[in-house]
Amino acid sequence: MNISTTTVSNHRTPPNPFSSFTTTKLFSIKPSVSYNNLTNSRHSLHSTTSIIVASSSSDKASGLEGCSPAKKLRELLDTPGVHQGPAAFNALSAKLMEKAGFQFCFTTGFGISAARLGLPDTGLISYGEMLDQGRLITEAVSIPVIGDGDNGYGNAMNVKRTVKGFIKAGFAGILLEDQVSPKACGHTQGRKVVSRDEAVMKIKAAVDARKESGSDIVIVARTDSRQALSIEEALWRSQAFAEAGADVLFVDALASREEMKAFCEVATSVPKMANMLEGGGKTPILTPLELEDIGYKLVAYPLSLMGVSIRAMEDALVAIKGGRLPPPGSMPSFDEVKEVLGFNTYYEEEKRYATKSNQFVWQTGSSNPYSIQRSGQDDTKQKDQGPTEPIVELLSPDTYGAGDGKNPFSGIWSRTLRVKIIGRDGFEKLDVRIPAGFLDGITNIVPALGGVNIKALLDDASFEVGGKLLLDFNDSMGDRIQVFLE
């Protein structure tokens, strides 16, 4: 079936904005609000300096604390300037965007299909997989996220389910396209689009799903008809999507500045989205200032993080295969990785819920894994200097009623274990005594004892009087570990 004849010739093209297309002046469009007026009003907002928004202020400072993700995004759309949004393919990449100061981000079907399945973005990834990955992304950040809803995963009824699912997953916006199934990635070959009627009806279904959910999710309507059919068809569909209730318009694979300008002159009151496909797409790569001057509001960068990740992993694997490690400049330190992932924040918050317990308690930061101190020591100095050594809380055996035959810690369990460790350099690393009843905690002090059945050794020595050497061995680090029953 010839899509270009069946989907276009059966519909009468409305006189506005396409009746003005001629062979001599392809992009002469007369929208209801002139592009020049829009440009003048936009520049008047900026005075002499154009604004590019890529850094974030806190929600509290901006008055958006407690707002829904969609409201945050709508507030962003109402602010002057062009807004840059890289594309996230997992929770970590989204966290890095927020850390870098971006005020919103997209999810990318291309990147998620690559990262989650290791497969091309050719319609192989399912609605459920995209929703699951998207939920992890929205939960990882506080900035609004526009989710890639592909073609809605079916007809208009499927679109409604997709929109409602994205709302529940915490998305601020959803991008919906008009490709047939199975869809293809933008800027790739073989793209086909559904008919005009079906494309418009899907956007109407998305708007209805939003109303039924009581949500204000931002609907980004995308058409791939520029590459599948023509620029005229792409502009017609953009106008129709705006009339159907779309909040943002997006034509993929526009091939020139002139086409980009023509697109921004359609439905001028509706924000436009540009796609700067890195590495060689069909759309010219323009600076944010150039895109703003043309009339764009949102800019997506779909492959930057995925692309550099692929190259960095390839280089690291080459280094490791050659018996080396990646050079220090190519990767963060372990401390930096922990900071990005939130270890330090976690530890600080964990202190709020700390309780005194009868178990061994560890604190991080020591170069010596065997360093301990007894509970009850004056920790004023520790507080002044910060935690530099792990702390293990030890309780004396008599706490457990030593000598009471009815007590589970009586007899052998009331006796003391002495753990002694001599480093391979000959220096003593540890010499500590703990209640034998605390076998479960001993591996917190000496991980090398994790695979040793000390309970069986204690049972064998239960009738022996005096001290007994239970264990004497060298661990994988070359340290000599001795365990005595006293």
Side-chain angles (χ1 to χ4, degrees):
M1 179 181 292
N2 189 321
I3 293 179
S4 62
T5 58
T6 58
T7 60
V8 178
S9 61
N10 292 337
H11 295 77
R12 184 175 63 85
T13 303
N16 184 30
F18 307 103
S19 57
S20 57
F21 275 88
T22 65
T23 56
T24 58
K25 193 173 182 181
L26 179 60
F27 303 109
S28 176
I29 299 176
K30 297 180 180 179
S32 56
V33 179
S34 72
Y35 175 72
N36 288 334
N37 290 340
L38 180 66
T39 303
N40 292 336
S41 64
R42 186 172 65 251
H43 284 300
S44 68
L45 289 173
H46 307 329
S47 183
T48 58
T49 304
S50 187
I51 300 174
I52 301 176
V53 180
S55 61
S56 172
S57 58
S58 68
D59 291 339
K60 191 172 183 179
S62 60
L64 294 177
E65 188 177 23
C67 291
S68 70
K71 181 171 177 58
K72 291 180 182 179
L73 182 58
R74 289 183 182 276
E75 292 281 347
L76 186 65
L77 289 171
D78 288 339
T79 59
V82 65
H83 306 284
Q84 300 168 277
F89 53 88
N90 58 18
L92 176 58
S93 58
K95 284 175 71 74
L96 290 171
M97 292 178 205
E98 183 173 33
K99 182 178 175 64
F102 288 94
Q103 291 187 302
F104 83 107
C105 71
F106 293 91
T107 64
T108 159
F110 186 100
I112 291 176
S113 183
R116 188 177 176 106
L117 304 181
L119 293 173
D121 183 23
T122 53
L124 297 174
I125 196 164
S126 68
Y127 161 72
E129 290 168 317
M130 286 290 287
L131 189 66
D132 179 63
Q133 192 82 343
R135 184 181 293 109
L136 296 176
I137 291 172
T138 60
E139 290 176 351
V141 296
S142 61
I143 58 175
V145 182
I146 298 176
D148 187 351
D150 288 332
N151 57 6
Y153 305 98
N155 61 17
M157 295 302 293
N158 293 95
V159 168
K160 293 185 71 173
R161 177 176 184 248
T162 299
V163 171
K164 291 179 180 180
F166 274 50
I167 291 171
K168 292 179 180 178
F171 282 102
I174 180 170
L175 190 150
L176 295 166
E177 60 197 58
D178 58 359
Q179 288 195 59
V180 301
S181 295
K183 56 146 288 184
C185 171
H187 298 252
T188 59
Q189 63 185 14
R191 285 192 290 174
K192 299 177 181 179
V193 292
V194 299
S195 69
R196 285 180 173 180
D197 287 343
E198 184 176 354
V200 173
M201 203 57 66
K202 282 188 170 185
I203 298 303
K204 289 183 177 179
V207 173
D208 289 343
R210 175 174 63 191
K211 292 178 181 177
E212 293 168 9
S213 300
S215 168
D216 55 349
I217 190 171
V218 174
I219 296 173
V220 182
R222 160 181 162 173
T223 179
D224 288 74
S225 55
R226 166 63 189 97
Q227 189 173 349
L229 298 173
S230 66
I231 179 62
E232 293 88 350
E233 181 66 14
L235 298 180
W236 190 97
R237 293 189 182 215
S238 297
Q239 179 71 41
F241 292 163
E243 294 173 358
D247 301 295
V248 178
L249 301 176
F250 170 36
V251 177
D252 200 23
L254 291 171
S256 66
R257 282 177 179 258
E258 290 72 24
E259 290 186 2
M260 297 168 76
K261 290 178 180 178
F263 167 53
C264 288
E265 291 175 356
V266 175
T268 54
S269 62
V270 181
K272 308 300 188 303
M273 169 184 157
N275 185 29
M276 296 290 95
L277 182 64
E278 311 89 323
K282 297 181 180 298
T283 303
I285 300 297
L286 305 180
T287 67
L289 285 175
E290 290 174 317
L291 291 169
E292 182 190 2
D293 189 61
I294 290 174
Y296 284 99
K297 175 59 66 175
L298 300 180
V299 188
Y301 299 86
L303 293 184
S304 290
L305 295 190
M306 171 58 67
V308 298
S309 297
I310 290 174
R311 181 53 52 83
M313 287 189 286
E314 287 177 339
D315 292 344
L317 291 171
V318 169
I320 293 171
K321 192 173 182 179
R324 299 172 286 109
L325 291 178
S330 69
M331 60 184 296
S333 67
F334 184 50
D335 285 340
E336 291 171 326
V337 171
K338 290 189 295 181
E339 175 62 29
V340 168
L341 296 179
F343 275 87
N344 295 332
T345 302
Y346 175 89
Y347 293 141
E348 286 300 314
E349 185 176 1
E350 186 183 34
K351 294 177 182 178
R352 294 170 51 193
Y353 308 103
T355 61
K356 287 190 175 181
S357 67
N358 296 334
Q359 298 178 353
F360 294 97
V361 180
W362 279 84
Q363 294 184 2
T364 61
S366 172
S367 58
N368 181 1
Y370 307 120
S371 299
I372 64 171
Q373 74 177 35
R374 291 186 177 274
S375 176
Q377 288 181 333
D378 183 7
D379 60 354
T380 303
K381 186 176 180 181
Q382 290 283 336
K383 291 179 181 178
D384 293 339
Q385 298 179 350
T388 58
E389 299 290 352
I391 299 174
V392 179
E393 182 177 357
L394 299 181
L395 302 179
S396 60
D398 55 4
T399 304
Y400 298 95
D404 183 356
K406 296 181 180 180
N407 191 291
F409 293 98
S410 62
I412 187 68
W413 304 110
S414 67
R415 295 173 66 179
T416 301
L417 287 176
R418 180 184 181 188
V419 181
K420 188 174 182 181
I421 298 177
I422 304 297
R424 58 183 178 181
D425 54 4
F427 292 96
E428 183 180 281
K429 286 189 173 182
L430 183 71
D431 189 356
V432 63
R433 290 170 174 80
I434 64 173
F438 280 145
L439 293 182
D440 290 340
I442 194 170
T443 56
N444 289 339
I445 301 176
V446 188
L449 296 177
V452 180
N453 190 347
I454 299 179
K455 182 179 183 303
L457 296 175
L458 287 173
D459 289 339
D460 292 341
S462 59
F463 297 106
E464 296 191 18
V465 179
K468 176 178 174 60
L469 179 63
L470 299 180
L471 287 172
D472 189 351
F473 67 98
N474 292 337
D475 66 6
S476 60
M477 299 172 59
D479 296 339
R480 183 181 181 184
I481 300 176
Q482 295 176 303
V483 180
F484 301 87
L485 175 65
E486 296 184 339

